[in-house]
Amino acid sequence: MEGTNNNGAFNYTYSSKQQEEVKKIRQQYTPREENKMEQLRNLDQSAKKPGMIAALAAGTISSLFLGAGMACIMEWDLFAIGIVVGIVGMIGVSLAYPIYNAMTKKQREKLAPQIIQLSNELMS
């Protein structure tokens, strides 16, 4: 909305859509204060992330071994080597989820006091 004030100066008010965009841009340049709910979410993610990374790495590498074993058998006629490499890959793929569970459980035990304290503060 355009107009002049009593002093004769020109001022302009942006629409609500533009106001939201201005706020988003401004938030990028102001220091952010982390509230307790964000801290709780970040702690929860930090409990899950190491296990997820390890499980994905183990699964990916193991599936490559499985594929290499298949290639040994089907393309290069190395049956015995292909079986061994393929079995190693199958074992690795089947261990990816237990790796995730074990690492996540360990991280949760480590972070449990902080998470419980924050959740108690938020619930009260």
Side-chain angles (χ1 to χ4, degrees):
M1 185 160 281
E2 297 179 30
T4 58
N5 62 13
N6 294 339
N7 298 337
F10 181 79
N11 61 359
Y12 182 80
T13 307
Y14 292 103
S15 69
S16 63
K17 186 177 179 180
Q18 289 173 330
Q19 288 283 349
E20 290 299 317
E21 185 177 355
V22 168
K23 286 180 184 178
K24 285 181 183 179
I25 292 172
R26 183 179 177 163
Q27 285 177 348
Q28 294 175 6
Y29 295 95
T30 56
R32 218 175 117 214
E33 294 180 21
E34 193 174 73
N35 64 22
K36 291 184 181 191
M37 189 62 195
E38 288 176 8
Q39 288 176 348
L40 187 62
R41 285 186 189 120
N42 289 340
L43 282 172
D44 184 45
Q45 286 299 316
S46 67
K48 296 175 185 175
K49 194 176 287 188
M52 180 65 72
I53 292 170
L56 285 173
T60 303
I61 292 169
S62 298
S63 65
L64 290 173
F65 271 92
L66 183 60
M70 288 175 31
C72 285
I73 293 171
M74 295 180 359
E75 293 294 323
W76 303 313
D77 293 327
L78 301 172
F79 192 76
I81 295 172
I83 293 291
V84 171
V85 172
I87 289 174
V88 168
M90 284 187 229
I91 292 170
V93 168
S94 64
L95 289 177
Y97 188 65
I99 288 171
Y100 168 78
N101 282 338
M103 290 187 73
T104 302
K105 182 179 178 183
K106 184 177 178 182
Q107 283 294 105
R108 283 183 176 161
E109 288 172 357
K110 181 179 167 184
L111 296 173
Q114 294 172 342
I115 290 175
I116 291 172
Q117 178 189 4
L118 270 174
S119 60
N120 286 340
E121 289 175 14
L122 287 169
M123 291 179 8
S124 60

